[in-house]
Amino acid sequence: MARRRGFGEVERRKSARGEVTYRARYAMPDGTRYSRTLSTAMDAEAWLVAERTLVDRDEWTPPRARIAAEEKRKAEASSNTFGGFAERYLTERGLRPNTGRHYRHLLDTRILPYFAVMPLSAVTLGDIKTWRAALGPETESTNAAAYRLLRSILTSAEEEELIDRAPPKIRGAGTARVKKVTTPATFDELAVIVEGMPVRLRLFVILAAFVGLREGELLELRRSDIDGLIGRVDIRRKIDKDVIAGAPGACPNCGRSISTPKTAKGIRTVHVPPPFLPMLQRHLLEHAAPGIDGLLFPGERTDHMSVRYLTDQYRSAREAAGRPDLTIHDLRHTALTLAGQHGATAAELQARAGHASQTAMAIYQHATADRDLKLAEAIGETYERWSRSQNEK
C-alpha cells in the first residue's frame, strides 16, 4: 500500500522471491509522473525530499536529464585525470603499431600506477621527481622512455589548454647511458659473414654493413627502388616486423604492415659503393622477385622473407666470423662508422642514416645526394685496397 505524504508517496513492494523494495513517486503540475525504486523506506523518503527541494528552488529538471548530465560530468572529470587524458592521447595520435604497443607498455607498467587518478592540473615537478626516484635503476633505458612519454602527454595537455603549463623538465631524465658499445665489424669479419650467408642473402649483408640500411627497410626494398647502373637506392618504405596479420596497411600475402620510415628524414637516397655494383646487378638478375615491384629479398612464396629464417642464417655466419655479438642492426653501425672514417660530416651522417635530429637540422639540409655518392666511392676505394691485399697474400 502506498503511503501518502505532503509531496509524493512511497509504496512498499514485495517481489515473488520475497525481496522488499520501496517505490517513491510524485506528479508535477502538468500531470507527468516520476518515480524511483530504492532498497529502503528511508532512501525513498530522502529522494522525495530532495526532489521537492529542487522544485521549491526552481532548480528542478527531469531526473533522467539530471542522470545524463551527471554521467557526462563524470566522463569529463575522468578525461581531466592524467589516466583519462593519457588514454585519449594514445588513441588520437595515429601511432604506428609498434609505437602504440611500446607506449601502452610504458603506461601500464611505469606511469599509470602512480599518476592514473591524479588530476592533470595537480601533477607537479615534485610528483614527477618522486615517481622517477621510485623507478628501479636497473631499467634505466625504459625509465628514460617512460619520462619522455610522460613529458609528451603533459605537453599535449598544455597545448589543449587543459593545464596552464606542463611542469619544468628534469635535465637528463629523458636520456640513458649507453651500456653496450658496439665494436664495428672489420673487412675480414664481414668477408666471412658474407661467405657464410646463402647466395641470395649476401647482398643483404653488404647493404646493411656498407650502406647502413635498417633490417625493415631492406626487407621492403623492391626493384623500383634500385638503380643498378649507378647503385642508387631509394628508401621510401619499411615493414613493421611484428604487426598482427590483417592490420591496416598489412601485406595481403604475409600480414606484414608496410609503412613509411618512422620520420620524414628516413625517406632518403643512398648509394652502394662501386665494388659491389656487380653483386647488386647479379642479384637483380638471379634473386629478386620478378616485375618492377618485385621484392629485392623475397621469401619462398615471393612475399616478404621470414625474419626467423634471416636471423638463423645470419647467426651461423657471424659465429663463423668469431662475432657472436654482432647483430644485424650492428652492421648498420659498421656502415656509419665507415662513413665517419671517410670524412662524412655530421649532416652527411644524418642523411645517410636517415636520422632526425633537431640539433643537426641546420647543417643537415646541406647534405646532398652527390656527396653521398662521393662517400660511397671513397668507402669502395678502401674496400678495393683491402681486397687487392687479400689477393696478394
Side-chain angles (χ1 to χ4, degrees), residues 101-128:
R101 285 191 288 273
H102 178 54
Y103 284 5
R104 179 77 268 166
H105 177 73
L106 290 176
L107 281 172
D108 291 345
T109 62
R110 293 291 193 281
I111 301 174
L112 292 183
Y114 189 95
F115 292 104
V117 298
M118 188 177 292
L120 276 169
S121 58
V123 179
T124 66
L125 179 60
D127 292 321
I128 297 173

Side-chain angles (χ1 to χ4, degrees), residues 248-304:
C251 160
N253 294 328
C254 63
R256 297 272 178 73
S257 173
I258 302 170
S259 62
T260 57
K262 189 173 182 179
T263 69
K265 303 302 178 291
I267 299 175
R268 64 200 188 279
T269 295
V270 291
H271 295 81
V272 178
F276 302 114
L277 286 181
M279 178 188 287
L280 173 63
Q281 293 159 358
R282 189 164 57 251
H283 184 96
L284 287 167
L285 287 173
E286 298 176 3
H287 303 296
I292 190 170
D293 289 325
L295 287 164
L296 195 63
F297 301 104
E300 294 181 355
R301 301 183 305 280
T302 72
D303 58 10
H304 293 93

Side-chain angles (χ1 to χ4, degrees), residues 104-377:
R104 179 77 268 166
H105 177 73
L106 290 176
L107 281 172
D108 291 345
T109 62
R110 293 291 193 281
I111 301 174
L112 292 183
Y114 189 95
F115 292 104
V117 298
M118 188 177 292
L120 276 169
S121 58
V123 179
T124 66
L125 179 60
D127 292 321
I128 297 173
K129 287 182 175 180
T130 301
W131 161 74
R132 184 167 171 265
L135 297 175
E138 68 280 359
T139 55
E140 186 177 348
S141 178
T142 304
N143 297 346
Y147 174 78
R148 292 194 298 271
L149 177 57
L150 175 70
R151 278 288 309 171
S152 180
I153 292 171
L154 291 171
T155 300
S156 293
E158 178 184 337
E159 291 170 353
E160 294 189 24
E161 299 183 344
L162 296 175
I163 56 177
D164 293 333
R165 179 174 295 181
K169 291 181 180 179
I170 301 174
R171 181 175 297 180
T175 58
R177 292 169 296 177
V178 178
K179 295 183 179 179
K180 175 190 174 186
V181 178
T182 302
T183 302
T186 65
F187 284 168
D188 289 320
E189 290 167 345
L190 289 173
V192 174
I193 292 173
V194 170
E195 187 66 25
M197 295 293 283
V199 176
R200 68 189 184 111
L201 283 177
R202 290 177 179 177
L203 181 67
F204 190 101
V205 174
I206 296 299
L207 294 181
F210 288 91
V211 186
L213 302 190
R214 299 176 175 91
E215 182 180 331
E217 295 168 345
L218 285 163
L219 291 172
E220 174 51 22
L221 276 181
R222 298 175 184 271
R223 286 179 178 271
S224 56
D225 301 317
I226 309 294
D227 185 330
L229 293 178
I230 63 172
R232 189 185 72 238
V233 182
D234 296 326
I235 310 301
R236 300 291 180 268
R237 299 168 313 281
K238 70 179 184 65
I239 66 165
D240 297 317
K241 292 177 291 182
D242 56 351
V243 78
I244 17 180
C251 160
N253 294 328
C254 63
R256 297 272 178 73
S257 173
I258 302 170
S259 62
T260 57
K262 189 173 182 179
T263 69
K265 303 302 178 291
I267 299 175
R268 64 200 188 279
T269 295
V270 291
H271 295 81
V272 178
F276 302 114
L277 286 181
M279 178 188 287
L280 173 63
Q281 293 159 358
R282 189 164 57 251
H283 184 96
L284 287 167
L285 287 173
E286 298 176 3
H287 303 296
I292 190 170
D293 289 325
L295 287 164
L296 195 63
F297 301 104
E300 294 181 355
R301 301 183 305 280
T302 72
D303 58 10
H304 293 93
M305 180 175 294
S306 161
V307 174
R308 177 175 294 180
Y309 171 78
L310 170 66
T311 303
D312 287 345
Q313 299 302 314
Y314 177 72
R315 184 183 297 111
S316 299
R318 74 181 181 185
E319 289 174 356
R323 288 300 305 272
D325 61 307
L326 195 72
T327 66
I328 291 177
H329 187 74
D330 290 340
L331 295 177
R332 171 174 159 84
H333 177 77
T334 296
L336 298 180
T337 301
L338 279 172
Q341 290 171 343
H342 286 79
T345 66
E348 290 159 353
L349 283 172
Q350 293 285 335
R352 194 161 178 81
H355 278 161
S357 170
Q358 295 298 320
T359 56
M361 195 64 69
I363 59 172
Y364 174 86
Q365 294 169 348
H366 296 293
T368 64
D370 289 342
R371 175 58 182 159
D372 186 90
L373 179 56
K374 295 295 183 184
L375 278 172
E377 290 172 349

